[in-house]
Amino acid sequence: MRVAFLGLGAMGARMAMNVIRAGHDLTVWNRSPGRAGDLVAAGAAEAPTPRAAADGAEVVLSMVHDDDASRAVWTDDATGALHGMAPGAVAVECSTVSPDWVRSLAGTAEGRGIGFLAAPVAGTLPPAEAGELVVIAGGDQDALVAAQPVLDAIGKATHHAGDAGAAATAKLVINGMLLAQEAALAELLGMAKRTGLAPARAFEILCETPVASPMIRNYGQLMVAGTDDVNFSVAGSLKDLGLIAGTADGAGAEAPVSHAVRDSFRAAVEAGLADRNQTEIMRHYE
């Protein structure tokens, strides 16, 4: 298929490479220059704008930071990808964005005769590298069928959540549960250290009980050992928690735990940990 990929950050570049490996004809764009070299060497073409990248593409995917970046990529009057897409093509927003924005974007795309999917992904850099992300899709079933060969290139499974907003909400549920466990584990291991129990030993004992989820086992090891690798940053986590808080508040839903988790990650950012891996929130509690 003729595919365009917009946004070549750490996740996007890996996802785009798997689109090439699956045999699709790929054109890429990134806001900052110099990120497309490996993809071009692997056979991709590079375009100067999202609109140019989307011209002639059957499926266009975006993986960018937030609502504002998504809005610019898709709908900018001069350079937005929707202006370069033909009726019948499918726009796929893989970014973690707000349900309100992605519903608005879906309406804009569909008003132009363009199929639309929200398709945020669960997983960090290793599964992105391996093409084993979990795709949470939302939108029209025909659009999903049309885009599925491309989604199969980036993920090991696709789960249809409902409309575009439902997919965005499902992604926030996943991220919120992950970050709540991280925040709780970090502060409890910090408490253990201050009371004389080594965090490593506390974690070992925890892992011998049913309380330890697979997520706690994996991320807790990184917390205890520390890491300079960044699969997803503390600042990125805080951005997602802001989306969760805004979505809950907008829906009139009580979310005291999510708000408290947001406060924990905000404190870690203020402590200078913004660019560290999300598990390094523990350093704030040591």
Side-chain angles (χ1 to χ4, degrees), residues 217-227 231 277 279-280 283:
R217 294 174 188 274
N218 292 334
Y219 284 67
Q221 291 175 358
L222 291 174
M223 277 191 186
V224 171
T227 180
N231 288 327
N277 194 60
T279 52
E280 292 295 279
R283 308 287 84 83

Side-chain angles (χ1 to χ4, degrees), residues 231-282:
N231 288 327
F232 191 65
S233 71
V234 172
S237 301
L238 180 59
K239 183 271 292 186
D240 287 356
L241 288 161
L243 290 175
I244 292 167
T247 300
D249 291 347
E254 294 188 18
V257 173
S258 294
H259 281 280
V261 174
R262 185 186 186 188
D263 289 343
S264 296
F265 276 86
R266 182 185 290 115
V269 167
E270 292 170 352
L273 299 168
D275 295 330
R276 303 296 299 275
N277 194 60
Q278 62 194 96
T279 52
E280 292 295 279
I281 185 180
M282 185 179 167

